[in-house]
Amino acid sequence: MINSLLAFLLGCALSGGGYPGQSADVDKVALPERTITQREREEFKAEMTPLLKSNSWEGTSAYAVGHVLMVPLHAAFQLRDEEWMAQFKDHFDRFASEGYDSNWTQPWPIAWRQGRIQYLYLYSRYLVLAAQNGQASKVNLRIPEILSDTLDWIWNDEEAVQYVRKPFPNLRERVLWKLDNPNPDKLYYRALLDDERFIMAIAGDLKRYSQLTGTKLPAAKAIDDVLEIAYRCYRQYGEFLSDDRWLIQPGAWTDHPDYAYAGQREKVPGMSKMPRFGISEDISHSHRTALWLSSMGAAFPATSEQGKFFRKARAGLEKQFVEKALVKPSAEFPGWRTTNYLDGWNGVYRYAYKSLGGGETGYGPYQVSDTLFLGWWTFLGSQRMRRYYADMASRYPLPAELFRTYFGYATDEVIGKQISNPTRYNQQKGLITSLASKIVDTAE
């Protein structure tokens, strides 16, 4: 199961049988009723229940489930489904009572660090959702303690590795170094990384949970420190454009090897490196940003300087994504796509990347679109994103001809394997996009 899930994240296959006709105007798609259908129940049982019953926090699996379970988690609480909420509660209770002690001893293996932090963000979202929906009394009290202690350890005590220099004594020192060094040898040396941004979002969730429940957490001082520095980071690294669109750290990745071919508009054998100055983040890394902004924004009063900033940034991100990066179905391509970069640029990404097989692999135009179907863009909080996800959901199962775009980064052998067994992927993606269309604003 877990190996299949990891393949799902890497490939995000979208194939299958019949295909509904293209909507005449996807902006006029009706918002779905906020109830759970029988089909969604069956797909949840087939796809999500096995993950929740497994020890999916182990090894590299934590990274995958941190992606896949986020939309179903929000749907369980927002749609007030007792069975689904109970399954998430049981899963997190098992982690608190069994998994954390037996598998998460410190220090962590480097290869597992990112996935573990991402899994903990799923954990922190559970705390907030439970508190918001009258379920706080059912939360295992060890859960906020685990999150609080782990955040404190990562922020203040665990070594934080850094490009081409000795590790920093902790994550806090690494972030402060980036804030104070605007002109390093390589631009990407000071780029904010996923682990830093996840920790900032977790701090926002812990602060909000504490506010909602009146709970004093052991690492309250560290949480406040993280949030103070997070605000500095997003103010310094974010950029509001002339029409209120917003981007995070444009240009920071210009000279990173993943972006070495970004200026190329087509993926062809033997092409030369062509960096693009000022390039934004790629879509696959950007898709978590909306929920991160929600977590941090909710930690501050809506009328505060910080609260206003994070809410304005998220609104600007919604405008940026929808107007520049999201590509609607058309006669040319009867499916949803995104450009490869959040600024709307559609150049090559991660050409000849080792984990993709090296050689001539990599993401050509539109081939990072798969993360759209993980559903996280619904956390932008707008009704039009809900409509778009409703339209996406109506198109499942999707035809095999779309695979060349959604799977085009991979080898023909990998694509062939996914096309030959599309059922699981259609179920997972169909369920996630359907639930994403029913999630309302999470910013408060």
Side-chain angles (χ1 to χ4, degrees):
M1 166 62 73
I2 296 300
N3 288 337
S4 297
L5 177 59
L6 291 172
F8 156 68
L9 266 183
L10 293 172
C12 298
L14 303 167
S15 157
Y19 185 79
Q22 180 186 333
S23 302
D25 187 348
V26 294
D27 289 288
K28 295 181 180 179
V29 171
L31 291 173
E33 292 185 12
R34 299 188 69 242
T35 56
I36 298 173
T37 67
Q38 183 58 35
R39 177 178 177 177
E40 289 167 341
R41 292 193 181 282
E42 293 171 357
E43 291 175 340
F44 190 98
K45 183 177 181 180
E47 301 298 333
M48 305 304 162
T49 297
L51 295 180
L52 291 170
K53 289 185 175 180
S54 71
N55 294 347
S56 52
W57 52 76
E58 295 179 350
T60 57
S61 301
Y63 182 84
V65 299
H67 275 118
V68 173
L69 289 175
M70 189 62 80
V71 166
L73 170 68
H74 282 76
F77 281 92
Q78 285 205 3
L79 303 180
R80 303 290 298 169
D81 189 86
E82 296 293 338
E83 180 184 352
W84 290 5
M85 286 190 291
Q87 288 190 39
F88 277 103
K89 178 184 184 305
D90 289 346
H91 174 81
F92 291 124
D93 283 354
R94 284 195 306 106
F95 174 71
S97 62
E98 304 168 13
Y100 183 77
D101 288 336
S102 62
N103 292 286
W104 285 52
T105 52
Q106 300 164 355
W108 294 345
I110 292 294
W112 296 356
R113 188 176 186 277
Q114 174 63 44
R116 288 186 167 189
I117 294 174
Q118 178 153 319
Y119 176 82
L120 289 178
Y121 185 45
L122 186 74
Y123 217 43
S124 70
R125 292 307 304 156
Y126 165 71
L127 282 184
V128 173
L129 289 164
Q132 287 175 330
N133 290 276
Q135 303 289 312
S137 62
K138 297 181 180 181
V139 171
N140 183 323
L141 293 180
R142 195 168 178 226
I143 293 175
E145 179 182 300
I146 287 172
L147 279 167
S148 179
D149 289 346
T150 303
L151 178 140
D152 195 5
W153 168 64
I154 293 172
W155 188 245
N156 290 312
D157 297 319
E158 186 204 23
E159 278 193 347
V161 297
Q162 171 68 8
Y163 303 108
V164 298
R165 56 152 287 164
K166 67 179 183 180
F168 287 94
N170 52 51
L171 199 66
R172 183 181 193 273
E173 292 301 317
R174 191 175 79 185
V175 173
L176 290 175
W177 178 87
K178 293 178 180 183
L179 284 170
D180 296 336
N181 286 273
N183 297 301
D185 293 339
K186 297 284 188 180
L187 291 171
Y188 69 88
Y189 289 173
R190 69 180 299 269
L192 295 177
L193 302 179
D194 283 355
D195 58 350
E196 295 158 351
R197 296 167 74 185
F198 270 116
I199 288 296
M200 293 171 185
I202 291 169
D205 283 348
L206 287 172
K207 183 73 172 183
R208 186 59 180 150
Y209 171 79
S210 179
Q211 294 166 348
L212 290 169
T213 62
T215 303
K216 183 171 177 59
L217 297 173
K221 183 177 180 180
I223 291 166
D224 288 341
D225 186 46
V226 173
L227 288 171
E228 178 184 345
I229 293 174
Y231 178 57
R232 287 180 58 192
C233 286
Y234 277 81
R235 284 296 298 264
Q236 183 169 319
Y237 283 77
E239 180 178 339
F240 285 101
L241 306 178
S242 58
D243 56 354
D244 289 330
R245 289 180 288 111
W246 183 83
L247 287 172
I248 181 69
Q249 51 187 13
W253 298 103
T254 297
D255 51 7
H256 191 279
D258 288 1
Y259 295 68
Y261 298 84
Q264 296 283 6
R265 293 176 178 268
E266 183 181 3
K267 184 178 68 175
V268 295
M271 62 185 178
S272 301
K273 292 182 179 180
M274 186 183 292
R276 182 174 171 83
F277 183 77
I279 192 76
S280 73
E281 285 187 338
D282 61 278
I283 284 290
S284 59
H285 283 87
S286 297
H287 85 278
R288 286 84 58 96
T289 306
L291 193 54
W292 288 338
L293 291 171
S294 292
S295 289
M296 291 181 290
F300 299 97
T303 56
S304 67
E305 176 184 307
Q306 299 93 329
K308 289 178 180 178
F309 169 80
F310 283 117
R311 287 162 176 80
K312 182 180 179 182
R314 195 184 64 143
L317 177 65
E318 195 270 354
K319 186 175 176 66
Q320 174 67 31
F321 176 70
V322 171
E323 296 180 6
K324 300 297 181 180
L326 184 62
V327 183
K328 300 174 184 178
S330 65
E332 173 194 358
F333 188 85
W336 288 85
R337 294 176 292 176
T338 61
T339 58
N340 284 354
Y341 296 93
L342 184 59
D343 58 8
W345 181 251
N346 205 20
V348 173
Y349 173 59
R350 281 186 171 174
Y351 182 69
Y353 198 64
K354 288 183 180 180
S355 69
L356 301 180
E360 305 297 338
T361 59
Y363 298 86
Y366 301 113
Q367 289 179 350
V368 192
S369 296
D370 56 348
T371 51
L372 174 63
F373 307 103
L374 286 169
W376 285 51
W377 289 107
T378 193
F379 299 122
L380 288 167
S382 67
Q383 286 198 351
R384 62 178 172 178
M385 279 310 306
R386 287 186 60 203
R387 288 192 175 92
Y388 296 158
Y389 272 114
D391 186 79
M392 291 176 217
S394 74
R395 296 168 182 269
Y396 281 87
L398 299 185
E401 60 262 28
L402 301 191
F403 271 46
R404 290 295 164 182
T405 291
Y406 298 137
F407 255 134
Y409 68 86
T411 62
D412 286 342
E413 180 182 1
V414 170
I415 296 172
K417 287 180 180 179
Q418 304 306 332
I419 292 176
S420 67
N421 184 25
T423 303
R424 283 200 65 239
Y425 302 104
N426 270 301
Q427 280 192 150
Q428 284 182 337
K429 285 303 185 70
L431 172 63
I432 289 172
T433 54
S434 181
L435 295 179
S437 73
K438 300 178 182 183
I439 290 174
V440 296
D441 194 1
T442 59
E444 300 303 326

